[in-house]
Coordinates of all heavy atoms in Angstrom, one line a residue:
Chain B
S82 N 11.1 6.3 13.6 CA 10.5 7.5 13.1 C 9.1 7.7 13.8 O 8.5 6.7 14.3 CB 10.4 7.5 11.6 OG 9.4 6.5 11.1
T83 N 8.6 8.9 13.6 CA 7.4 9.2 14.3 C 6.5 10.0 13.4 O 7.0 11.0 12.8 CB 7.5 10.0 15.7 OG1 8.4 9.2 16.6 CG2 6.1 10.2 16.3
L84 N 5.4 9.6 13.1 CA 4.3 10.4 12.4 C 3.5 11.1 13.4 O 3.0 10.6 14.3 CB 3.3 9.4 11.5 CG 2.2 10.1 10.7 CD1 2.9 10.8 9.6 CD2 1.2 9.2 10.3
I85 N 3.3 12.5 13.1 CA 2.8 13.5 14.0 C 1.5 14.0 13.2 O 1.7 14.7 12.2 CB 3.7 14.5 14.5 CG1 4.9 13.9 15.1 CG2 3.0 15.4 15.4 CD1 6.1 14.8 15.3
L86 N 0.3 13.7 13.8 CA -0.8 14.4 13.5 C -1.1 15.5 14.4 O -1.3 15.2 15.6 CB -2.1 13.4 13.4 CG -1.8 12.2 12.5 CD1 -3.2 11.3 12.7 CD2 -1.5 12.5 11.2
H87 N -1.1 16.8 14.0 CA -1.1 17.9 14.9 C -2.3 18.1 15.6 O -2.3 18.5 16.8 CB -0.6 19.1 14.1 CG 0.7 19.1 13.4 ND1 1.9 19.2 14.4 CD2 1.2 18.9 12.3 CE1 3.0 18.9 13.6 NE2 2.5 18.8 12.4
R88 N -3.5 17.8 15.0 CA -4.8 17.9 15.6 C -5.6 16.9 15.1 O -6.3 16.9 14.0 CB -5.4 19.3 15.4 CG -4.8 20.5 16.2 CD -5.4 21.7 15.9 NE -6.9 21.7 16.4 CZ -7.8 22.4 16.1 NH1 -7.6 23.3 15.1 NH2 -9.1 22.4 16.7
A89 N -5.8 15.8 15.9 CA -6.5 14.6 15.4 C -8.1 15.0 15.3 O -8.6 15.6 16.0 CB -6.4 13.4 16.3
T90 N -8.6 14.4 14.2 CA -10.1 14.6 13.9 C -10.7 13.3 13.8 O -9.9 12.3 13.6 CB -10.4 15.4 12.7 OG1 -10.1 14.7 11.6 CG2 -9.6 16.8 12.6
L91 N -12.0 13.1 13.9 CA -12.6 11.9 13.9 C -12.4 11.3 12.5 O -12.3 10.0 12.4 CB -14.1 12.0 13.9 CG -14.6 12.4 15.4 CD1 -16.1 12.6 15.4 CD2 -14.1 11.5 16.5
R92 N -12.1 12.0 11.4 CA -11.7 11.5 10.0 C -10.3 11.0 9.9 O -10.0 10.2 9.0 CB -11.9 12.6 9.0 CG -13.4 12.9 8.7 CD -13.5 14.0 7.7 NE -13.1 15.4 8.2 CZ -13.1 16.5 7.5 NH1 -13.5 16.6 6.4 NH2 -12.7 17.5 8.2
D93 N -9.5 11.1 11.0 CA -8.1 10.5 11.0 C -8.2 9.1 11.5 O -7.0 8.5 11.5 CB -7.2 11.4 12.0 CG -6.9 12.8 11.2 OD1 -6.9 12.9 10.0 OD2 -6.9 13.7 11.9
A94 N -9.4 8.6 12.0 CA -9.3 7.3 12.4 C -9.1 6.3 11.3 O -9.9 6.3 10.2 CB -10.7 7.0 13.1
A95 N -8.1 5.4 11.4 CA -7.6 4.8 10.3 C -6.6 3.9 10.7 O -6.1 3.9 11.9 CB -7.1 5.5 9.2
V96 N -6.1 2.9 9.9 CA -4.8 2.2 10.1 C -3.6 2.8 9.5 O -3.7 3.1 8.3 CB -4.9 0.6 9.6 CG1 -3.7 -0.1 9.8 CG2 -6.2 -0.1 10.3
Y97 N -2.7 3.2 10.4 CA -1.5 3.8 9.7 C -0.3 2.9 9.5 O 0.1 2.2 10.4 CB -1.1 5.0 10.7 CG -2.0 6.1 10.6 CD1 -3.3 6.0 11.3 CD2 -1.8 7.3 10.0 CE1 -4.2 7.1 11.3 CE2 -2.6 8.3 9.8 CZ -3.9 8.3 10.5 OH -4.8 9.3 10.4
Y98 N 0.1 2.9 8.3 CA 1.2 2.0 7.9 C 2.6 2.8 7.8 O 2.6 3.7 7.0 CB 1.0 1.3 6.6 CG -0.2 0.3 6.7 CD1 -1.4 0.6 6.2 CD2 0.0 -1.0 7.1 CE1 -2.5 -0.2 6.2 CE2 -1.1 -1.9 7.2 CZ -2.2 -1.6 6.7 OH -3.2 -2.4 6.8
C99 N 3.6 2.3 8.6 CA 4.9 2.8 8.3 C 5.7 1.7 7.5 O 5.7 0.6 7.6 CB 5.7 2.8 9.7 SG 7.4 3.0 9.6
I100 N 6.3 2.3 6.4 CA 6.8 1.3 5.2 C 8.2 1.7 4.8 O 8.5 3.0 4.8 CB 5.7 1.6 3.9 CG1 4.3 1.1 4.3 CG2 6.3 0.9 2.8 CD1 3.3 1.9 3.5
L101 N 8.9 0.8 4.6 CA 10.2 1.0 4.1 C 10.2 0.8 2.5 O 9.7 -0.1 2.0 CB 11.3 0.1 4.7 CG 11.6 0.2 6.1 CD1 12.6 -0.7 6.5 CD2 11.9 1.8 6.3
R102 N 10.6 2.0 1.7 CA 10.8 1.8 0.3 C 12.3 1.5 0.1 O 13.1 2.3 0.4 CB 10.5 3.1 -0.3 CG 10.3 2.9 -1.9 CD 10.7 4.1 -2.7 NE 12.2 4.2 -2.7 CZ 12.7 5.3 -3.4 NH1 12.0 6.1 -4.1 NH2 14.0 5.3 -3.4
L103 N 12.5 0.2 -0.1 CA 13.9 -0.2 -0.3 C 14.6 0.3 -1.5 O 13.9 0.6 -2.5 CB 14.0 -1.8 -0.4 CG 13.4 -2.4 0.7 CD1 13.6 -4.0 0.7 CD2 13.8 -2.0 2.1

Side-chain angles (χ1 to χ4, degrees):
Chain B
S82 62
T83 302
L84 179 71
I85 303 164
L86 306 180
H87 296 287
R88 289 182 64 201
T90 70
L91 296 177
R92 285 178 293 182
D93 290 324
V96 177
Y97 286 78
Y98 292 99
C99 169
I100 298 155
L101 294 184
R102 194 212 75 179
L103 305 186

